[in-house]
Amino acid sequence: MTAVQGTTVDIPTEDGVADAYLVHPGDERPRPAVLFFQDAFGLRPHLRSMADRLAEAGYTVLLPNVFYRHGRVPVVELPEFIDPAEDPDIWRRIGPVMQSLTPDLAMRDAGAWLRFLADSPPAADGPVAVTGYCMGARLALLTAGTHPQRVAAVAGFHGGQLATENPDSPHLVAEHITAEAYFGHADRDSSLPPEQIRRLEDALTAAGVRHRCEVYPGARHGYTQADTPAYDREADERHWAALLDLLERTL
């Protein structure tokens, strides 16, 4: 297993300074870069461990605190094991923070994350991959459509609200995407009903995007998050296999 080096870095943005986690293999070789977008629960130990696993596979990974406008990590105090059933107040604390990150603000920030990677010695020159979880899948999709010249691969897992009827729905950027895309949908996910799955698939197909969209049977929204009750080991390992295969092909 490759030894990795992880550290907290500060990234200047148009609206301030964001803290982020940067991790890469421990040697001095620049590696292909992966931009990793968090879920609503934020940058925390479990997500750092996921970023570490990507770095162990040979990538330089940037995991930004997309809620930096509300403070440094932890933006919202959370227990080690996050169970909304045991903490009904959790969405009252997180909801306003999540909703304040509009698509416009998120994409303004995406430019900062990509500029940081372009200037980062551990990151190899060339295009990057983007992956995201839950709300992060929306951010990944939007980034691939907003910065097509920089993104060679985009992945999203148990994403919600990916293809709504709203004028700013993420699937509407499909026509601009040049990356190869993979989406692993949760079967039991009220935030991405079947009509949205079809709408996303249709948009990617119409735009000529190389893609694969799969529904993981029986998986719940959040199936990759081992620090929540939604975790599904089988679905999680399927996600890792799909993600690493995509990265190997495209980077």
Side-chain angles (χ1 to χ4, degrees):
M1 184 176 294
T2 303
V4 301
Q5 294 181 354
T7 186
T8 298
V9 295
D10 286 346
I11 302 176
T13 75
E14 293 183 38
D15 297 319
V17 176
D19 50 321
Y21 180 63
L22 179 70
V23 61
H24 53 86
D27 57 25
E28 299 300 317
R29 292 170 48 204
R31 302 301 182 103
V34 179
L35 174 57
F36 182 133
F37 281 120
Q38 65 178 63
D39 63 359
F41 294 137
L43 204 166
R44 60 193 192 281
H46 175 62
L47 292 192
R48 290 188 185 93
S49 73
M50 292 178 70
D52 289 349
R53 183 166 172 173
L54 280 174
E56 288 166 0
Y59 301 96
T60 290
V61 185
L62 180 66
L63 170 58
N65 167 23
V66 302
F67 296 151
Y68 71 91
R69 291 176 181 83
H70 298 267
R72 297 178 72 86
V73 171
V75 177
V76 176
E77 291 289 347
L78 295 170
E80 187 174 331
F81 187 78
I82 306 165
D83 185 354
E86 296 294 324
D87 182 8
D89 192 52
I90 193 168
W91 291 116
R92 185 189 64 79
R93 304 196 303 273
I94 293 175
V97 176
M98 181 172 59
Q99 291 161 14
S100 70
L101 186 64
T102 65
D104 284 347
L105 289 178
M107 289 307 95
R108 199 154 76 200
D109 292 340
W113 317 143
L114 293 171
R115 285 191 297 274
F116 177 86
L117 285 171
D119 295 336
S120 182
D125 292 336
V128 307
V130 186
T131 188
Y133 300 83
C134 300
M135 62 165 276
R138 293 200 304 274
L139 301 182
L141 180 56
L142 287 167
T143 300
T146 305
H147 299 277
Q149 74 283 2
R150 291 281 285 125
V151 180
V154 57
F157 299 92
H158 46 82
Q161 306 299 313
L162 295 178
T164 71
E165 295 181 336
N166 295 333
D168 60 355
S169 176
H171 79 287
L172 297 175
V173 303
E175 62 181 325
H176 305 297
I177 292 175
T178 58
E180 182 175 344
Y182 178 90
F183 290 91
H185 306 309
D187 187 22
R188 300 164 56 193
D189 191 348
S190 60
S191 70
L192 195 74
E195 62 268 21
Q196 287 198 38
I197 292 176
R198 287 192 298 271
R199 192 177 291 136
L200 174 63
E201 176 85 33
D202 290 347
L204 293 171
T205 300
V209 176
R210 291 166 296 153
H211 71 278
R212 191 159 91 250
C213 297
E214 299 181 320
V215 177
Y216 292 15
R220 298 162 60 188
H221 183 79
Y223 61 75
T224 63
Q225 303 304 300
D227 57 354
T228 77
Y231 182 66
D232 182 320
R233 183 179 297 278
E234 182 178 348
D236 185 33
E237 288 307 316
R238 180 177 176 179
H239 129 264
W240 279 112
L243 177 59
L244 292 173
D245 180 60
L246 175 69
L247 298 181
E248 186 174 353
R249 277 200 313 278
T250 55
L251 297 185

